[in-house]
Amino acid sequence: MSSATTSASLPSGIKVLASFPDILILPEFVFGGLVWILVASTKVLIPIIQGWVMFVSVFCFVLSTLLLFLYFCGAHGQKSSWVALDAFYQVTASLFYLSAAVLQAVATISVKDNLYYKIYQIDIAAVVFAFAVTLTYVIHMIFSLLRWKSS
């Protein structure tokens, strides 16, 4: 049985990086940071769409960093309200990134016929990493919801 269903508390200290699903924060950082960098490095042709993608990637990156820091410090004090907060954040981040990944794919398709082939290639990479980070957030969300349910 997974650790998410056997233990209803959040880890603290270095155990955050040794427990599942909390270890998923590392690929969330990497893939989310890549989405942020890739979208920021292109010429933004559709500001409203790519602005949302940038907001989501920066928002989730900053909030994940804050939560990781608080978990390392043990600020949660093994309270069940933090387990609920973690589950709520994972649900929100999953929905945000799903919408951002779909919108980035739409923006990429619309740039396909332009003369900016290099931008198109970078946008394709941003779409791939946006869906990769969405998948990691969804997996993290599922196990965070199981941990919340058992708390």
Side-chain angles (χ1 to χ4, degrees):
M1 194 169 268
S2 71
S3 64
T5 57
T6 58
S7 173
S9 63
L10 292 169
S12 59
I14 198 69
K15 292 179 187 174
V16 172
L17 298 178
S19 65
F20 189 80
D22 302 306
I23 188 103
L24 289 174
I25 201 160
L26 297 177
E28 290 167 3
F29 275 142
V30 172
F31 296 151
L34 283 170
V35 171
W36 180 5
I37 291 166
L38 289 168
V39 172
S41 69
T42 65
K43 181 176 180 169
V44 176
L45 299 175
I46 308 171
I48 191 79
I49 290 177
Q50 291 181 306
W52 173 250
V53 176
M54 285 295 293
F55 167 76
V56 169
S57 60
V58 172
F59 174 78
C60 290
F61 192 87
V62 168
L63 221 53
S64 291
T65 304
L66 178 65
L67 286 175
L68 180 66
F69 177 73
L70 291 172
Y71 295 161
F72 270 141
C73 294
H76 52 77
Q78 302 302 328
K79 295 180 184 171
S80 63
S81 60
W82 280 82
V83 176
L85 175 74
D86 181 59
F88 176 75
Y89 170 67
Q90 297 304 326
V91 169
T92 304
S94 297
L95 292 174
F96 274 17
Y97 256 116
L98 180 61
S99 68
V102 169
L103 289 174
Q104 182 62 32
V106 167
T108 302
I109 290 169
S110 67
V111 175
K112 180 180 178 183
D113 297 328
N114 283 343
L115 299 174
Y116 305 110
Y117 188 68
K118 186 70 171 175
I119 292 174
Y120 177 63
Q121 291 176 325
I122 293 171
D123 281 342
I124 289 173
V127 169
V128 169
F129 286 116
F131 278 108
V133 74
T134 301
L135 180 63
T136 57
Y137 271 109
V138 167
I139 293 168
H140 198 159
M141 173 194 70
I142 291 168
F143 285 97
S144 291
L145 287 172
L146 288 173
R147 178 169 43 202
W148 173 64
K149 182 181 175 188
S150 66
S151 67

